Amino acid sequence: MDPDLLSPFLPAGKKVEVRESRPVPTRKMCRVDVDGRWAVMADLQWWEDDVDVSTVVTANPETDKAAQSAGNGFFYTGTGAVKLAKGCKNPEHARHLLYTSIQVNDSDLGNSAAMKKLAAAFTDAVERSRECS
């Protein structure tokens, strides 16, 4: 992904660190810290295919009040997004759908247009990754 898509959401600082974790088998997290404080969290979330997308949206703090964009399964605000990874299948997650999620810690850095671009690029990259085999 183009780092310029992430930069509007990063506070000023000297040191950027990226950490990955998988707290549960259905979730993979990537956290971006600036000077030791989390700035942005990007997640992959496998949800059972019968779960309504509104449940996914409300489970993500920065998108619980988001309006749906023109595309089905894409919700975003200036500080968060949830997007369905279309056509994504993984034998380890049968009968599940993959959603990407982004959360920005600093509401002063919110930018809806920039979030829409970041979430779309992130989801496109995930759809091309090994996560979607």
Side-chain angles (χ1 to χ4, degrees):
M1 281 187 34
D2 182 354
D4 289 340
L5 294 173
L6 183 61
S7 63
F9 303 105
L10 299 178
K14 295 181 181 195
K15 183 178 178 188
V16 175
E17 245 183 300
V18 178
R19 300 177 185 185
E20 287 187 21
S21 65
R22 192 177 286 269
V24 294
T26 57
R27 188 169 181 199
K28 184 176 184 180
M29 300 166 50
C30 178
R31 189 173 108 173
V32 180
D33 293 350
V34 176
D35 294 341
R37 292 189 56 223
W38 86 268
V40 177
M41 182 86 68
D43 292 353
L44 305 181
Q45 302 173 6
W46 288 97
W47 287 79
E48 292 184 14
D49 59 10
D50 63 348
V51 171
D52 188 81
V53 68
S54 63
T55 301
V56 179
V57 171
T58 57
N60 287 276
E62 295 302 322
T63 58
D64 60 349
K65 294 176 180 60
Q68 185 171 5
S69 74
N72 188 25
F74 189 7
F75 296 77
Y76 64 94
T77 65
T79 55
V82 169
K83 188 168 190 315
L84 174 65
K86 294 183 179 173
C88 188
K89 301 291 181 201
N90 187 310
E92 293 178 25
H93 302 286
R95 296 184 310 276
H96 285 76
L97 297 174
L98 180 63
Y99 290 87
T100 61
S101 168
I102 299 174
Q103 296 176 49
V104 174
N105 187 33
D106 187 345
S107 61
D108 290 339
L109 297 174
N111 180 322
S112 294
M115 178 57 69
K116 183 178 181 180
K117 289 178 186 176
L118 174 62
F122 176 56
T123 305
D124 288 346
V126 168
E127 290 169 346
R128 293 187 310 269
S129 75
R130 282 185 275 162
E131 202 68 38
C132 294
S133 51

